[in-house]
Amino acid sequence: MADGADNKTHFGYQQVDKNKKAEMVADVFHSVASKYDLMNDVMSFGVHRYWKRFTIECAAARPGMKVLDLAGGTGDLTAKFSHLVGETGEVVLADINDSMLKVGRAKLHDLGVVGNVNYVQANAEALPFPDNHFDIITIAFGLRNVTEKEKALRSMQRILKPGGKLLVLEFSKPQNALMQKAYDFYSFQVIPRMGSMVAGDAESYRYLSESIRMHPDQETLKQMMLDAGFDQADYVNMTNGVVALHRGYKF
């Protein structure tokens, strides 16, 4: 019989049963979905747009490609990819959370992003797509919420075409002590108050700050990608490592 500790994982700083985490994370995103875009702008002072633009540039999507925007939420990356892959390409916006998918679909329809975008509710740990299917997979600010990150990375590697790339945009570890101290103060003293004022929900944003601290650092995540079967992996720090873009390649 498995040891009880094997059935535990973290939800922020709490230890919870693995089979309950997905539901608890879902509750967070059901709560924040309607204010998600606004809070991203407020919390990052708009810098998240730069992080995402750099991710799009690194993806180098071309007409006719198939792209998976995993944990795609409200569809910022999907909107850009839709234009880049054109009528002959396809973008799948996938998210485990139905509320986020609904907000994303409504937003993209309002922007006129239709025709080459499909929406799929999916768990990153067991993606419902064929082997060797996508040219590009992105997951922006979603991997840290996945319970079994190793399973998710293996699932992404399986459905990526040879020659394809995975881009993981995620909060990471600041690269100097002064930045870390300032970031901790901002994360735990300021962001929950912003969440309370803007979204009426301090606890969800306290969880988000805690989940960032529990996420693997840059080198650990790079090794996890290699262990999951990617042939090559690297990363680029942004904003002194507050955010990192990890790139995994399948040859």
Side-chain angles (χ1 to χ4, degrees):
M1 181 179 293
D3 187 273
D6 292 339
N7 295 320
K8 296 289 186 180
T9 189
H10 56 82
F11 176 78
Y13 289 162
Q14 300 176 52
Q15 286 288 308
V16 300
D17 288 343
K18 282 184 177 179
N19 60 3
K20 292 182 179 177
K21 179 173 177 176
E23 182 179 344
M24 295 171 76
V25 171
D27 288 341
V28 168
F29 283 92
H30 287 312
S31 174
V32 304
S34 65
K35 300 287 186 181
Y36 186 78
D37 285 340
L38 175 60
M39 277 297 294
N40 279 348
D41 278 328
V42 170
M43 288 188 300
S44 73
F45 304 100
V47 178
H48 76 100
R49 296 175 185 273
Y50 159 75
W51 298 330
K52 290 172 181 173
R53 186 164 64 246
F54 182 70
T55 302
I56 293 288
E57 290 171 358
C58 288
R62 301 188 303 277
M65 282 187 165
K66 289 185 170 67
V67 179
L68 172 63
D69 181 12
L70 184 57
T74 58
D76 283 351
L77 297 184
T78 293
K80 300 291 187 185
F81 282 130
S82 174
H83 293 299
L84 290 169
V85 304
E87 293 181 2
T88 59
E90 178 191 14
V91 185
V92 176
L93 195 167
D95 203 292
I96 196 171
N97 189 276
D98 182 58
S99 295
M100 295 292 283
L101 271 179
K102 286 176 179 173
V103 170
R105 186 196 300 263
K107 172 181 162 182
L108 294 182
H109 280 194
D110 287 346
L111 292 172
V113 179
V114 295
N116 64 354
V117 176
N118 293 307
Y119 300 85
V120 176
Q121 188 169 1
N123 185 337
E125 296 173 21
L127 292 166
F129 304 107
D131 294 357
N132 307 315
H133 186 69
F134 291 101
D135 299 284
I136 298 165
I137 301 173
T138 60
I139 178 166
F141 305 114
L143 185 61
R144 73 180 188 281
N145 296 310
V146 174
T147 305
E148 300 276 7
K149 295 175 180 61
E150 297 85 353
K151 276 188 186 177
L153 290 169
R154 288 195 299 271
S155 189
M156 291 179 230
Q157 194 273 348
R158 177 185 65 79
I159 64 173
L160 195 65
K161 288 180 182 178
K165 70 179 80 167
L166 165 67
L167 298 168
V168 180
L169 181 65
E170 189 55 87
F171 293 107
S172 200
K173 184 174 177 57
Q175 296 300 286
N176 67 56
L178 186 61
M179 175 63 89
Q180 182 69 63
K181 195 168 185 178
Y183 185 47
D184 284 345
F185 176 82
Y186 183 70
S187 296
F188 293 106
Q189 301 302 320
V190 179
I191 285 179
R193 288 182 171 87
M194 286 181 176
S196 178
M197 289 187 293
V198 176
D201 186 349
E203 284 304 310
S204 290
Y205 286 94
R206 187 168 290 110
Y207 157 74
L208 292 175
S209 293
E210 291 177 359
S211 71
I212 291 167
R213 300 316 185 280
M214 301 304 292
H215 185 68
D217 66 16
Q218 287 92 326
E219 285 294 327
T220 303
L221 180 54
K222 176 183 172 183
Q223 188 58 52
M224 288 170 67
M225 293 170 77
L226 294 171
D227 292 344
F230 288 91
D231 298 294
Q232 184 179 324
D234 60 20
Y235 61 87
V236 178
N237 284 320
M238 292 181 277
T239 318
N240 193 249
V242 167
V243 164
L245 178 64
H246 280 73
R247 301 177 291 198
Y249 303 89
K250 179 176 177 178
F251 300 142

